[in-house]
């Protein structure tokens, strides 16, 4: 006897800019959730629609009547809802008609800041609405009392909340922003594509924009300290204003021949580097504006590729990396500790066991196909309860 098929729901994915190639987690939902039966509500359309989805651009030119009422409408929404971003006037009517014409059954807002736009409207249309917190929306955004106020107003309107890490949910809770139906579901990685290859002994890799927030100088100085007297090589993938200063610093530290700066590379090229890399380095820090990561996708990819991870006690990273088993973690800004952790890995007589543990962790916790199924199952559960009532 065949098992009954699980119900599928026409889903509206709400995002800020579309299409953004680097937002793999959002693009995966647009392409695959509930079999890919999706439409896109975006703040700004960037001109490319690779999935051929019906889309609605919120920030398209306002009608004359909407421009007239905009100051009053936005002021009132800001006063009552904590945000002036809610749709209003003719644009609001047009959006409601579009959602109805597209036969949308569920709304999933990527980032809490996008849920602010649609939560009230979804309630009025009797549509189940969920959001996904991923990083800055549950860190830097909370430094604004107005944003905290708007989140508190929004939460009771949501049917459920997803977050890439428990850290972000705890951070929201510290500001009185909670939801009884909250779930930690990391973005995940395609563990069928990120598979360990033949590791190059002593190889290290760092990936990210060469900007202050990514602290590339700390990574470079720590590697230089750890690499002295050891066989090691660091590859830096990324571009940005600190690229040339870091090249000069490598020469100054006497490790120019042990460091390769590739500049920015396509995601596929990053994957190929990960497959043969032994140790992945990421010195994540909280920036001066309070912005944190959620649970970096790069670390999930590194684990899947069997890389030993050296990183920081930052945001959701300790939820992914187990000290002494799959990697080593140090406090943010602890350059000496970071160097010591790199040296620990390089001094291991056999790094294969930690590599295998890293891969096993990714398979158990970060398989994006399994995690997508968890999101779908939770939405199904909530929709069934709504229908029952």
């Amino acid at each position: 006897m065949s098992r009954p098929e699980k119900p599928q729901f026409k889903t509206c994915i709400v995002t800020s800019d579309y299409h953004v190639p680097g937002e793999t987690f959002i693009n995966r939902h647009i392409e695959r959730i509930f079999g890919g039966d999706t439409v896109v509500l975006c703040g700004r359309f960037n001109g490319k629609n690779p999935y051929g989805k019906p889309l609605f651009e919120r920030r398209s030119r306002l009608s004359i009547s909407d421009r007239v009422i905009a100051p009053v409408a936005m002021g009132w929404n800001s006063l009552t809802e904590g945000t002036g971003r809610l749709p209003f006037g003719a644009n609001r009517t047009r959006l409601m008609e579009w959602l109805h014409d597209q036969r949308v059954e569920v709304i999933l807002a990527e980032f809490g800041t996008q849920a602010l736009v649609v939560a009230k409207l979804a309630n009025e249309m009797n549509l189940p609405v969920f959001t996904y917190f991923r990083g800055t929306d549950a860190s830097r955004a909370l430094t604004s009392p107005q944003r905290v106020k708007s989140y508190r107003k929004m939460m009771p309107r949501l049917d459920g909340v997803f977050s890439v890490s428990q850290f972000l949910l705890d951070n929201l809770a510290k500001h009185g922003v909670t939801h009884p139906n909250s779930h930690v579901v990391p973005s995940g990685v395609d563990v069928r594509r990120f598979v360990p290859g033949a590791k190059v002994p002593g190889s290290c890799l760092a990936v990210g924009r060469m900007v202050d927030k990514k602290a590339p100088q700390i990574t470079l100085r720590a590697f230089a300290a750890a690499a002295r007297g050891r066989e090691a090589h660091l590859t830096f993938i990324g571009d940005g204003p600190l690229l040339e200063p870091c090249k000069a610093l490598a020469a100054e530290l006497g490790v120019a021949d042990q460091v390769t700066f590739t500049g920015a590379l396509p995601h596929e090229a990053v994957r190929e580097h990960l497959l043969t890399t032994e140790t992945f380095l990421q010195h994540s820090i909280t920036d001066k504006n309070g912005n944190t990561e959620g649970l970096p996708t790069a670390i999930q990819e590194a684990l899947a590729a069997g890389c030993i991870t050296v990183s920081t006690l930052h945001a959701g990273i300790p939820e992914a990396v187990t000290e002494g088993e799959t990697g080593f973690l140090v406090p943010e800004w602890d350059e000496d500790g970071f160097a010591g952790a790199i040296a620990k890995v390089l001094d291991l007589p056999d790094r294969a066991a930690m590599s295998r543990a890293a891969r096993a962790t990714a398979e158990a916790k970060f398989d994006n196909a399994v995690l997508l199924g968890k999101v779908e199952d939770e939405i199904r559960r909530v929709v069934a309860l709504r229908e029952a009532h």
Side-chain angles (χ1 to χ4, degrees):
M1 186 175 178
S2 61
R3 296 169 61 183
E5 287 192 15
K6 294 180 178 180
Q8 307 283 77
F9 299 105
K10 182 71 166 285
T11 305
C12 177
I13 304 296
V14 186
T15 187
S16 177
D17 283 29
Y18 178 77
H19 165 262
V20 179
E23 292 183 340
T24 54
F25 40 87
I26 295 175
N27 296 334
R28 188 183 304 132
H29 284 165
I30 293 170
E31 182 182 15
R32 300 181 187 176
I33 200 166
F34 292 121
D37 191 9
T38 60
V39 299
V40 177
L41 167 58
C42 61
R44 183 183 296 105
F45 177 49
N46 292 332
K48 291 186 178 180
N49 186 6
Y51 310 112
K53 299 296 182 179
L55 62 89
F56 186 101
E57 185 179 14
R58 288 191 297 105
R59 296 178 192 170
S60 57
R61 187 174 178 83
L62 295 177
S63 66
I64 294 175
S65 60
D66 278 359
R67 290 203 295 273
V68 170
I69 67 171
V72 174
M74 294 177 71
W76 175 253
N77 286 334
S78 183
L79 179 67
T80 59
E81 302 296 330
T83 177
R85 301 172 66 189
L86 275 66
F88 58 87
N91 197 45
R92 181 178 182 277
T93 300
R94 194 165 61 91
L95 174 55
M96 292 177 72
E97 290 174 349
W98 181 79
L99 291 168
H100 180 268
D101 292 345
Q102 294 297 327
R103 298 184 179 181
V104 167
E105 297 169 283
V106 171
I107 295 177
L108 175 58
E110 305 285 358
F111 295 100
T113 46
Q114 293 302 307
L116 288 172
V117 177
V118 295
K120 186 179 180 182
L121 185 70
N123 288 177
E124 293 173 9
M125 296 185 69
N126 197 30
L127 288 173
V129 57
F130 300 80
T131 196
Y132 222 125
F133 285 99
R134 298 188 177 276
T136 185
D137 54 345
S139 57
R140 179 180 178 180
L142 299 175
T143 62
S144 163
Q146 186 78 346
R147 181 60 65 242
V148 172
K149 174 185 175 182
S150 64
Y151 277 174
R152 289 175 181 169
K153 292 279 290 186
M154 172 187 75
M155 280 296 192
R157 295 189 171 119
L158 300 176
D159 290 270
V161 167
F162 301 103
S163 172
V164 297
S165 66
Q166 184 61 46
F167 168 85
L168 293 181
L169 290 180
D170 292 344
N171 212 30
L172 288 163
K174 289 175 185 176
H175 293 80
V177 180
T178 61
H179 195 284
N181 186 31
S182 297
H183 305 269
V184 175
V185 184
S187 297
V189 59
D190 188 343
V191 297
R192 286 149 291 279
R193 289 186 64 247
F194 286 81
V195 181
K199 299 298 185 182
V200 176
S203 57
C204 299
L205 178 67
V207 181
R209 286 270 296 154
M210 304 291 278
V211 294
D212 287 331
K213 179 184 171 184
K214 298 295 184 179
Q217 298 105 318
I218 292 180
T219 299
L220 181 55
R221 286 194 296 264
F223 171 80
R228 289 192 185 97
R230 297 178 175 90
E231 186 175 331
H233 190 92
L234 170 62
T235 299
F236 256 116
I237 298 178
D239 203 348
L242 295 181
L243 177 56
E244 292 306 318
C246 280
K247 287 181 178 180
L249 179 60
E252 181 184 325
L253 295 169
V255 292
D257 60 338
Q258 289 180 275
V259 182
T260 299
F261 296 93
T262 68
L265 292 178
H267 190 236
E268 179 60 24
V270 175
R271 184 185 74 88
E272 291 173 0
H273 276 278
L274 282 170
L275 305 190
T276 59
T277 293
E278 271 193 339
T279 307
F280 184 74
L281 310 180
Q282 181 157 327
H283 196 100
S284 293
I285 58 172
T286 303
D287 74 12
K288 60 184 179 182
N289 296 314
N291 192 23
T292 75
E293 309 205 52
L295 200 172
T297 298
I299 285 180
Q300 297 173 62
E301 292 175 344
L303 291 169
C307 302
I308 301 166
T309 296
V310 177
S311 191
T312 51
L313 296 163
H314 171 88
I317 294 173
E319 299 172 40
V321 178
T322 303
E323 179 73 17
E325 292 184 18
T326 61
F328 299 97
L329 302 175
V330 303
E332 295 180 30
W333 303 103
D334 184 358
E335 187 175 309
D336 291 340
F338 203 61
I342 297 170
K344 275 185 188 177
V345 177
L346 294 174
D347 288 344
L348 286 171
D350 178 16
R351 295 183 275 274
M354 290 187 78
S355 177
R356 287 193 298 270
R359 172 65 185 178
T361 294
E363 290 177 322
K365 297 173 65 174
F366 302 122
D367 183 339
N368 63 18
V370 172
L371 297 171
L372 183 64
K374 286 185 176 182
V375 172
E376 292 177 340
D377 285 345
E378 176 54 24
I379 292 174
R380 290 188 182 102
R381 185 188 72 80
V382 170
V383 172
L385 283 175
R386 285 173 61 106
E387 291 177 348
H389 291 139

